[in-house]
Amino acid sequence: MSKAMFKNDTNLPIAKRSVFSLAWPIFFQSLLGVSLGYVDTIMLSNYNDTAVGAIGNANSIIGFLALAFSIISTATGIMVSQYLGANKKEEMNKIYTVAVGFNLALSVIISLVVFIFSRQLLVLMQVPEAMLNEADSYMRIVGGTIFTQAMLNAFNQIFDSNGKTIFGMVISFAMNIINIVGNALFLYGPLKVFGLGASGAAVSTCLSRVIAVIAAVFYFFFVIKGRLGIRYLKPFPFNILKGLLKLGIPTAGENISYNFSQLILTAFVNTMGIVAINAKIYANMLSMFTYMIALAAASATQIIVGHSVGAGDYDFAYHRVLKTMRFGLIVSISVAIVNCLLSPYTFHLFTGDSEVVKLGTAVMFISIFLEFGRTTNIVIINSMKAAGDVKFPTALAIFSMWGISVFVGYILGIVCGLGLIGIWIGMALDEIFRAVVVFIRWRKGTWRGKRIVADEHFKTEKSVARA
């Protein structure tokens, strides 16, 4: 790994900054963001075993529905990066206004859907009757206010694309502190008298997100110097909305396909009993650390690639991605191996059930192979999206996730009776297959020439020529 990747270069243009300078705050931001939900699980594991499965299932559904507003938030990061790389800063406030406004409207609708149809969604997921009431209460509160997470996601994409990745880390840390304090008060402290249980954990989560959104708004106005307003919508910038949707719909399509397939796999696991359900939840928690390392490096590289592609420097983007992938594979696989070796002990931190520990340990071994494929996918696919190559990853994801992950998982897990182990094998085969395909595509350079800014320049030149 080049020493340039680790140097302190926060004053350099974003395209020339090291992956490490952008990635380390993203890593902690992602880890803390995911842990917000897991903190609820850990604290409730000492309060009520049934609540663990209830919250795990509720979060699976909430996470899937939240992908709808990732259509715009993810596209915002790509567009902002490319436009800043091309030095077209005069368009920024229009992009910000369209992105934030569309995200808010869409997420409010989703919040209403979750609040109204919470129980029906949980029944559809085959959540056990014993968990249903607690899962319903948790999901109505957290899912009903999911628009706060949508706003936070949109602002974080804007901050990251401007190279301000540290803010997301700081705000995620504050959210976790607020959530932990709130959980302690509702589950073990003076507010325990209300007997809210999972609902109390939900209230803490929502409060932390509201405070985070308020902080993000102040940071946007006073540090990024961004502006939002009706005046940026007159005349309405249809070209920006069209560009965001052109990037966002295929980009979100891959994520939606993945999360929907995970919901189906979760439904399979829910038919296998409480041991498999809890082993899956704990295994995902332990694997998340490995995943977050790769995601942070990939997200930082995505920002650099977006700026580089916006400036037309494709060769720099090409080599940067390959360097990040090598680094990510070494770290992720190493961590996955350590995670596997320690799993007989780490699982005991969450449960005293020896059957859960035994099953979870077997799953962590399979995760070593899964991480090889997943790390490669995260790094390359994120970079392909940053370059504007968004349709191919979606088509590949739909084919592989359903044709391999779900199908093989069903055959091995349900038909052949391997249970959770069969599900994990199917997931690993899916990740490895897609990793091979996208690596070949990146090497061939099919992603070159797909930048959004280039399209805009072409349209401008064409209009001038006609005039």
Side-chain angles (χ1 to χ4, degrees):
M1 181 58 60
S2 170
K3 290 182 179 179
M5 182 166 283
F6 298 96
K7 64 185 179 180
N8 184 10
D9 51 10
T10 53
N11 293 323
L12 291 176
I14 295 173
K16 301 303 179 183
R17 287 178 59 178
S18 69
V19 170
F20 181 76
S21 69
L22 292 167
W24 73 265
I26 294 176
F27 168 73
F28 287 107
Q29 173 189 344
S30 301
L31 189 63
L32 290 166
V34 170
S35 68
L36 191 64
Y38 286 152
V39 162
D40 293 342
T41 301
I42 293 171
M43 297 186 76
L44 281 167
S45 67
N46 294 318
Y47 177 83
N48 186 326
D49 285 337
T50 305
V52 173
I55 292 218
N57 278 285
N59 279 332
S60 294
I61 297 174
I62 292 169
F64 171 70
L65 293 174
L67 288 172
F69 53 74
S70 73
I71 291 174
I72 297 300
S73 62
T74 302
T76 300
I78 297 172
M79 183 172 282
V80 170
S81 292
Q82 288 198 18
Y83 270 75
L84 288 176
N87 202 30
K88 292 175 66 66
K89 298 180 180 180
E90 68 278 2
E91 299 291 328
M92 289 298 98
N93 287 333
K94 291 182 180 180
I95 296 174
Y96 296 153
T97 300
V98 173
V100 172
F102 190 93
N103 232 26
L104 178 60
L106 184 60
S107 60
V108 166
I109 294 172
I110 294 171
S111 293
L112 290 173
V113 170
V114 175
F115 185 80
I116 295 171
F117 299 104
S118 172
R119 182 170 289 268
Q120 290 90 331
L121 291 169
L122 291 166
V123 170
L124 187 64
M125 277 292 296
Q126 301 184 46
V127 174
E129 184 68 29
M131 301 177 179
L132 194 56
N133 287 334
E134 285 186 288
D136 182 44
S137 298
Y138 182 89
M139 196 159 87
R140 282 180 183 275
I141 298 172
V142 175
T145 57
I146 202 172
F147 63 90
T148 57
Q149 185 62 50
M151 298 304 295
L152 192 58
N153 287 354
F155 281 120
N156 277 336
Q157 286 285 348
I158 292 170
F159 302 153
D160 288 351
S161 297
N162 277 272
K164 308 294 185 181
T165 58
I166 291 180
F167 177 80
M169 176 190 69
V170 173
I171 202 65
S172 292
F173 178 76
M175 288 171 67
N176 273 270
I177 295 298
I178 295 169
N179 192 46
I180 290 171
V181 172
N183 284 351
L185 291 174
F186 279 110
L187 298 178
Y188 312 110
L191 300 181
K192 182 180 179 181
V193 295
F194 294 107
L196 293 179
S199 297
V203 171
S204 300
T205 299
C206 293
L207 179 61
S208 68
R209 287 176 178 171
V210 169
I211 294 174
V213 170
I214 294 172
V217 170
F218 276 95
Y219 193 84
F220 173 77
F221 279 100
F222 295 107
V223 178
I224 301 298
K225 305 296 183 183
R227 293 294 180 267
L228 303 171
I230 299 297
R231 65 182 181 276
Y232 299 115
L233 302 179
K234 296 180 180 180
F236 190 85
F238 285 103
N239 62 317
I240 291 176
L241 180 59
K242 182 180 178 181
L244 288 170
L245 292 174
K246 182 180 178 180
L247 287 170
I249 291 175
T251 298
E254 185 218 346
N255 292 331
I256 290 172
S257 177
Y258 172 78
N259 280 269
F260 190 32
S261 68
Q262 288 297 305
L263 282 178
I264 298 301
L265 292 175
T266 298
F268 292 164
V269 175
N270 283 338
T271 66
M272 300 174 185
I274 191 68
V275 170
I277 292 172
N278 284 345
K280 173 184 178 293
I281 293 171
Y282 297 140
N284 279 335
M285 290 173 65
L286 293 175
S287 296
M288 194 56 65
F289 181 78
T290 312
Y291 167 74
M292 287 302 167
I293 294 174
L295 181 63
S299 298
T301 305
Q302 181 180 35
I303 296 169
I304 294 172
V305 168
H307 281 259
S308 300
V309 167
D313 195 347
Y314 289 100
D315 288 339
F316 181 84
Y318 171 80
H319 292 293
R320 171 58 67 198
V321 170
L322 294 182
K323 287 181 179 180
T324 302
M325 189 187 72
R326 286 195 295 268
F327 171 74
L329 284 174
I330 292 171
V331 175
S332 294
I333 293 175
S334 298
V335 173
I337 291 173
V338 173
N339 219 355
C340 176
L341 295 175
L342 294 178
S343 59
Y345 309 101
T346 50
F347 269 86
H348 276 295
L349 296 175
F350 308 117
T351 180
D353 190 332
S354 60
E355 290 299 314
V356 173
V357 174
K358 181 180 178 181
L359 180 58
T361 300
V363 163
M364 296 309 295
F365 174 74
I366 301 170
S367 291
I368 297 173
F369 303 94
L370 187 150
E371 294 302 338
F372 170 81
R374 183 158 64 177
T375 298
T376 302
N377 285 326
I378 292 171
V379 172
I380 296 182
I381 290 176
N382 276 24
S383 298
M384 288 168 62
K385 293 174 183 176
D389 186 9
V390 294
K391 294 181 180 179
F392 179 81
T394 300
L396 175 64
I398 293 172
F399 170 78
S400 182
M401 291 171 187
W402 293 94
I404 299 178
S405 185
V406 173
F407 179 73
V408 174
Y410 176 77
I411 295 298
L412 295 180
I414 304 295
V415 178
C416 297
L418 291 180
L420 189 62
I421 292 175
I423 299 293
W424 236 256
I425 291 174
M427 289 165 51
L429 291 175
D430 159 46
E431 295 284 2
I432 292 170
F433 170 76
R434 284 188 292 128
V436 172
V437 175
V438 297
F439 177 74
I440 293 172
R441 185 175 178 85
W442 188 259
R443 291 295 298 267
K444 289 177 65 177
T446 314
W447 51 274
R448 294 172 184 257
K450 296 182 181 291
R451 64 178 184 167
I452 296 299
V453 176
D455 292 340
E456 291 298 317
H457 283 323
F458 175 75
K459 289 176 184 177
T460 301
E461 291 170 3
K462 192 173 181 179
S463 298
V464 171
R466 285 178 177 176

